[in-house]
Amino acid sequence: MSDRPSLSTDAAARAVPGGGALTPAATGATAAPAAPAAPAAPPARSAVPRAAWHSAAVVAVTRETPTAARLELEVDGWPGNAAGQHLDVRLTAPDGYTATRSYSIASSGPGSRVVLAVDKLPDGEVSPFLVDELRTGDLLEVHGPLGAFFVWRPVEERSLAPARPVQLIAGGSGVVPLFAMARAHADAEDLTPLRMLYSVRTPDDVYFADELMALAEASDAFRLDLVYTRRIPAAWPTPPGRIMREALAAAVIPAAERPLVYVCGSTGFVERVASWLIELGHDAGSIRTERFGGT
Amino acid sequence: MQHLDGNAVAGQLADYFSFDVTAATARCNGCGSIAEFARAMVYRSGAGTVVRCGSCDQVLATIVEAGDRAWIGFSGVSAIEVRRG
């Protein structure tokens, strides 16, 4: 997910007359004094780093697609994050009004660098600022890492449990957390079969296009399937169109292989895909979804 | 109204609880099903946030925030299982 418009409340939407009123908070952006070191207890494998508010400096803003920007942040005190987690960005207007939105994290691992890819919603309150106005050196307030449920971890070397194959299914900007999983899989040289089905409007709208192609070329364990809904590249074998049940069945790891399935996209996309997966025999408990609202 | 997953309230609840509520499993008072909060359905409006059971639609939890106070109810949940590790 890139921007979750539904996270805005009606009251919040009414409170700001213009889209440009919000700026990163100057007050909240200063770092809190360092907390005393915690006792060195080894975290359980299931544990994820504790969420907290952090000050994030914008290191780079680049165009990701015609409607989206890639933001690279240096987050003060960030404890690292697992692939699939998200964070909240809070903007504060001069009058104290705040708006908070959730964004999936495209990166994972222990470092303090965090990569987001944000899709601009034309009538959005936060995303137009992040995509069009944000500059290198700006400070943002971020809360995270968040969500221990929609995460995937590469297989640990000493793990005795046989890994289950993984199917990622992305709709549009829903690819962001799934890209983090694919990258984590490659970085760990994990040989677990990982397959990504990515539904996107046109070739220009593919997020992390170069990176995804490189991952697919570099590893036999990762396979990428693209579906174009509006416009196809030259010599593409199938006409543009929404993915349907039969095409889904053909492009995902069969239920008999008991894959873990992660689905992220608009609410409508996730609803359709999840119900088809159940019809195709996938276990509901093995499907994890993340809806970001929208159409 | 369009709903989100329970995942969506992770940040909101992280302000109040020391564990990730969305990864905890809860038993629904309505149908008895047990699932992670992240699997529930979240409805947001200007009044607040309602979390409903993914199986039976029963209201599991409500979150209302106003000014410097918040009201958090778990009216539809009989027990929550939290990972201690």
Side-chain angles (χ1 to χ4, degrees):
Chain A
M1 114 216 53
S2 195
D3 199 340
R4 298 191 214 180
S6 314
L7 294 197
S8 78
T9 64
D10 293 344
R14 279 195 300 272
V16 161
L22 292 163
T23 56
T27 49
T30 49
R45 190 172 178 274
S46 61
V48 294
R50 183 85 176 267
W53 285 96
H54 300 276
S55 168
V58 178
V59 177
V61 185
T62 51
R63 189 51 69 171
E64 185 66 38
T65 74
T67 60
R70 186 187 305 202
L71 312 181
E72 192 177 337
L73 308 175
E74 175 64 35
V75 186
D76 188 34
W78 187 255
N81 63 274
Q85 290 198 278
H86 66 275
L87 55 70
D88 286 355
V89 173
R90 179 167 67 193
L91 301 183
T92 305
D95 66 357
Y97 167 76
T98 64
T100 305
R101 295 293 182 282
S102 296
Y103 296 97
S104 282
I105 303 170
S107 54
S108 69
S112 54
R113 283 293 167 100
V114 170
V115 177
L116 309 178
V118 177
D119 194 27
K120 180 168 107 177
L121 299 168
D123 54 354
E125 214 180 6
V126 173
S127 62
F129 172 80
L130 296 179
V131 173
D132 294 335
E133 308 295 333
L134 204 61
R135 296 289 179 267
T136 301
D138 285 347
L139 294 175
L140 292 171
E141 285 183 285
V142 302
H143 187 203
L146 298 171
F149 176 74
F150 196 81
V151 300
W152 179 80
R153 284 182 184 76
V155 171
E156 285 175 2
E157 219 169 296
R158 286 162 296 175
S159 169
L160 297 174
R164 295 169 65 184
V166 181
Q167 178 69 53
L168 311 176
I169 304 177
S173 58
V175 75
V176 175
L178 307 184
F179 171 72
M181 295 178 190
R183 173 60 77 68
H185 176 263
D187 287 349
E189 297 178 352
D190 190 335
L191 297 177
T192 309
L194 180 78
R195 202 165 165 180
M196 177 188 285
L197 174 62
Y198 183 5
S199 169
V200 66
R201 277 174 299 194
T202 78
D204 296 335
D205 293 306
V206 178
Y207 285 63
F208 308 104
D210 296 343
E211 289 92 336
L212 283 170
M213 304 302 172
L215 290 177
E217 272 180 28
S219 168
D220 289 338
F222 176 62
R223 176 169 167 178
L224 173 67
D225 299 283
L226 281 160
V227 173
Y228 298 100
T229 60
R230 302 263 178 86
R231 178 165 57 80
I232 54 175
W236 194 254
T238 48
R242 270 187 180 178
I243 189 152
M244 301 307 284
R245 201 187 104 144
E246 303 321 311
L248 181 81
V252 301
I253 298 170
E257 295 178 30
R258 299 185 61 246
L260 293 169
V261 187
Y262 294 82
V263 188
C264 186
S266 67
T267 298
F269 178 85
V270 169
E271 298 273 300
R272 281 196 304 280
V273 167
S275 63
W276 286 334
L277 288 170
I278 301 288
E279 290 171 23
L280 293 169
H282 289 265
D283 168 32
S286 299
I287 303 170
R288 298 191 173 205
T289 62
E290 188 156 82
R291 298 161 171 84
F292 59 77
T295 49
Chain B
M1 186 197 291
Q2 206 164 46
H3 68 277
L4 301 171
D5 306 274
N7 297 340
V9 295
Q12 219 175 343
L13 291 178
D15 280 336
Y16 310 114
F17 295 92
S18 67
F19 60 96
D20 177 20
V21 176
T22 65
T25 54
R27 184 166 59 221
C28 170
N29 274 339
C31 68
S33 71
I34 298 170
E36 293 91 342
F37 264 97
R39 293 188 186 277
M41 300 180 292
V42 169
Y43 296 84
R44 283 210 160 103
S45 75
T49 301
V50 177
V51 183
R52 289 181 176 271
C53 174
S55 301
C56 77
D57 253 6
Q58 151 125 341
V59 173
L60 297 179
T62 51
I63 308 163
V64 174
E65 294 170 309
D68 60 354
R69 288 186 289 172
W71 293 263
I72 303 163
F74 288 95
S75 62
V77 172
S78 60
I80 295 174
E81 179 183 325
V82 182
R83 282 287 172 96
R84 302 170 74 192

